[in-house]
Amino acid sequence: MSDLKTIVAEPWDAWGLLDCGHGQKLERYGSIKVVRPEPQAMWAPARDDWDPDATFVPGSDEEGGGRWVQHRPVPRQWELGRDGVSFNASLTPFRHLGFFPDMAPQWDWMRARASDADVLNLFGYTGVGSLLLSEAGARVVHVDASKKSVEQGKANGQLSGMADRPIRWIVDDATKFTAREVRRGKRYDGILLDPPKFGRGPEGEVWRLEENLAPLLMDCRKLLDQDSRFLVLTVYAVRMSALAIGELVKQLLGDLGGALEMGEMGVR
C-alpha cells in the first residue's frame, strides 16, 4: 500500500482562495471575486466582509443545477493566464468558471515531464491543461465530448498565440476514442484524465465513473509502455476514497514499474 499524499494548490496571480466556511468559498479570479458552494468547508469563515461580485446559488438537484446572482456587473468573459498561457474565465452554468485552478500543481508536475512528449488529455474541457503541456513542449491530443468546450479550447489557444502548436482538438466520447487508439496501435508518453462523476458523449453516450473508469483505465494501459512518463488521474465528488482509486490504478498499471502516488488535492 502506498502512502497517501496531499497536493496543495497555492494562490497564483490569476486565482486565489480568499476564505471559506459555512459550506461556501470565496475566491478571486483576476479582479473578480465570487462565492461558490463548498460542502467540505464545515467550519466558520475567518472573515465576514466577503462582498463578492457574484454568488452561485445551487439548485435542489445533485447534478450541478443552479444560477449565478451578480451583485455587480461581471463581464461575459475576462482574460486570465499562467505560465505563458492565456485563457478566458466566465460564469458558467455549472458553478465553475471555465477551468479548475486546483489542478495547478498537477499541471506543473506534468509540464516538467512534457518536453518532446506525446500526451493524451481525456475530458480535456476548455484546454488550459492542454495548452500548458503544449507550451512545455508536448504534442497533445485533446479530447472532450462537448463541442462548445473544444471550441473554447481553440479560442484559448488563439488568445495565447498558440494556434499553430501541435494540438489535435477532438470532439468525441473519451471511452470510444481511447478504444480506437488501442486498435490503431497508438502509444503515448503521458495521459491525463479528469473525468466527471456523470456525463454524456456527443451521441448521447452515458458516462458513470463507478462503472466506466476501470474499463477506460484498462485501455489507457494499452497506450502506455515502459518508456512512458506518467498517467495522472483526478476524481471529484464521488463516494470513493483515494485508496480505492489508487489500488485500481496499481492493479491495472503496476506492471509498468515506476512509482504510484495517491492522495487528496486541496487548496491553500
Side-chain angles (χ1 to χ4, degrees):
M1 183 72 69
S2 301
D3 292 334
L4 286 172
K5 296 187 62 175
T6 301
I7 299 175
V8 178
E10 302 287 353
W12 37 288
D13 289 347
W15 168 85
L17 176 67
L18 302 178
D19 197 6
C20 54
H22 293 164
Q24 295 182 310
K25 56 187 174 184
L26 172 68
E27 301 165 290
R28 59 167 177 82
Y29 289 80
S31 62
I32 305 296
K33 292 189 296 183
V34 302
V35 169
R36 298 193 291 152
E38 182 46 76
Q40 295 186 81
M42 297 176 285
W43 46 84
R47 45 195 282 195
D48 58 7
D49 59 342
W50 281 16
D51 189 30
D53 296 290
T55 298
F56 188 86
V57 180
S60 58
D61 63 273
E62 295 185 357
E63 296 300 330
R67 61 188 177 91
W68 285 98
V69 176
Q70 295 190 28
H71 312 294
R72 286 180 289 274
V74 175
R76 186 179 67 85
Q77 59 184 26
W78 64 100
E79 184 178 337
L80 301 176
R82 182 181 175 88
D83 292 327
V85 169
S86 298
F87 47 91
N88 281 316
S90 62
L91 303 179
T92 77
F94 311 105
R95 83 177 57 194
H96 49 76
L97 281 87
F99 70 104
F100 302 108
D102 49 327
M103 282 292 294
Q106 306 282 19
W107 295 333
D108 294 344
W109 187 90
M110 289 183 289
R111 278 167 55 84
R113 295 156 178 81
S115 178
D116 196 33
D118 292 299
V119 179
L120 174 61
N121 185 4
L122 298 172
F123 311 96
Y125 194 38
T126 59
V128 177
S130 293
L131 292 168
L132 285 164
L133 288 166
S134 177
E135 197 279 335
R139 295 171 294 275
V140 182
V141 177
H142 173 106
V143 180
D144 196 278
S146 166
K147 182 178 179 180
K148 183 177 180 180
S149 293
V150 172
E151 291 301 318
Q152 183 63 57
K154 293 179 182 178
N156 286 334
Q158 294 275 2
L159 191 65
S160 302
M162 298 175 62
D164 60 344
R165 292 296 182 99
I167 304 176
R168 292 176 58 202
W169 300 98
I170 298 174
V171 179
D172 204 347
D173 176 76
T175 300
K176 288 184 175 180
F177 179 83
T178 305
R180 286 199 303 274
E181 290 290 85
V182 170
R183 293 195 295 270
R184 293 168 182 146
K186 293 297 183 75
R187 175 205 170 273
Y188 287 92
D189 294 299
I191 299 177
L192 166 61
L193 305 95
D194 188 27
K197 177 181 178 181
F198 176 85
R200 292 189 183 275
E203 298 180 5
E205 304 93 338
V206 175
W207 165 269
R208 291 186 176 90
L209 188 126
E210 292 86 349
E211 300 172 10
N212 301 118
L213 179 60
L216 178 57
L217 285 173
M218 291 175 66
D219 276 344
C220 286
R221 164 62 187 87
K222 297 170 186 175
L223 300 177
L224 301 170
D225 61 26
Q226 302 289 342
D227 295 321
S228 297
R229 306 176 194 179
F230 61 81
L231 179 139
V232 171
L233 167 65
T234 53
V235 176
Y236 301 86
V238 294
R239 295 182 179 93
M240 61 178 72
S241 72
L243 284 172
I245 297 169
E247 286 302 305
L248 172 65
V249 174
K250 181 178 179 180
Q251 182 183 90
L252 297 178
L253 285 85
D255 64 303
L256 289 173
L260 171 66
E261 297 179 344
M262 66 184 87
E264 301 290 339
M265 293 170 59
V267 294
R268 186 82 61 193

